[in-house]
Amino acid sequence: SSDVCSSDLFYGEEFLREFNATTMLATNWPAALAKYEVSWTLMPTEHRLNQVLSLLPAWERVWSNEVATIYLRRQDEPDS
């Protein structure tokens, strides 16, 4: 029996910690999105990151239903 999750092996523990902190808005999440050059997101529709992205002109909601929402970063807008 192992306590290591397969995603830990693929992505690495540090990346997963940063991902969780970013999606929970617990860190400087705009810097993390820029660091990894995130150009789109796919999150549960009610997720707090979607709520924040909806307020930013650099992000456009391109698809949504009751389960998931996709945001696309606009190339011609600043991040703030």
Side-chain angles (χ1 to χ4, degrees), residues 28-64:
N28 185 354
W29 59 270
L33 295 180
K35 174 182 176 181
Y36 293 104
E37 298 180 358
V38 174
S39 60
W40 61 275
T41 64
L42 170 62
M43 301 296 287
T45 295
E46 299 299 320
H47 197 279
R48 66 179 71 186
L49 183 60
N50 288 333
Q51 295 170 9
V52 172
L53 294 179
S54 73
L55 301 173
L56 301 175
W59 291 90
E60 176 183 5
R61 186 177 68 190
V62 294
W63 187 85
S64 186

Side-chain angles (χ1 to χ4, degrees), residues 8-80:
D8 286 347
L9 295 173
F10 186 77
Y11 294 107
E13 186 178 338
E14 181 60 31
F15 175 83
L16 291 177
R17 265 194 251 123
E18 187 174 16
F19 173 83
N20 288 331
T22 298
T23 60
M24 298 306 285
L25 307 176
T27 63
N28 185 354
W29 59 270
L33 295 180
K35 174 182 176 181
Y36 293 104
E37 298 180 358
V38 174
S39 60
W40 61 275
T41 64
L42 170 62
M43 301 296 287
T45 295
E46 299 299 320
H47 197 279
R48 66 179 71 186
L49 183 60
N50 288 333
Q51 295 170 9
V52 172
L53 294 179
S54 73
L55 301 173
L56 301 175
W59 291 90
E60 176 183 5
R61 186 177 68 190
V62 294
W63 187 85
S64 186
N65 68 12
E66 64 278 355
V67 176
T69 297
I70 299 173
Y71 272 87
L72 180 67
R73 183 192 305 259
R74 294 181 175 150
Q75 298 299 317
D76 59 345
E77 290 283 340
D79 286 336
S80 56

